[in-house]
Amino acid sequence: PSIVPQIIQLCGKTFREFLADQDQNLKYLGLVGFCSLLISHPKILVEIGTDVRPLILKCLSDDDITIRTRALDLLRGMTSRKNLVE
């Protein structure tokens, strides 16, 4: 349906807000959501904008091992030939 891109953008925006929250549970849900979304939309992290990348990178230094692991899983979706050298 024609509304799918709008739904994907809304999901991405919501997951981004979860990542920015201080609540560890919401942060984890945001990471899990992005991991799930990568399966059907592999370029979502590139399409949603660069403001989500620092949030995911910040999760790599979180105290919670599950958050660090999920953030590590998302790194493959964040890399492209263009930003590989960054």
Side-chain angles (χ1 to χ4, degrees):
S2 61
I3 197 166
V4 170
Q6 293 169 332
I7 293 171
I8 298 302
Q9 288 298 318
L10 179 61
C11 288
K13 180 183 173 202
T14 303
F15 295 151
R16 188 218 166 279
E17 290 173 7
F18 284 177
L19 287 180
D21 200 285
Q22 294 300 316
D23 185 346
Q24 296 292 85
N25 294 319
L26 288 178
K27 199 176 291 187
Y28 181 77
L29 287 175
L31 292 168
V32 169
F34 273 125
C35 285
S36 297
L37 207 53
L38 276 176
I39 295 169
S40 60
H41 294 83
K43 297 195 184 279
I44 186 64
L45 293 175
V46 176
E47 293 170 0
I48 199 167
T50 57
D51 64 331
V52 77
R53 288 193 336 203
L55 293 172
I56 294 171
L57 292 175
K58 186 177 175 185
C59 289
L60 289 172
S61 60
D62 197 277
D63 291 337
D64 189 336
I65 185 75
T66 58
I67 289 178
R68 289 195 313 257
T69 303
R70 289 295 179 169
L72 195 57
D73 291 341
L74 285 175
L75 286 182
R76 68 177 173 82
M78 291 172 44
T79 54
S80 66
R81 290 179 193 251
K82 184 177 177 182
N83 68 9
L84 193 57
V85 289
E86 292 177 7

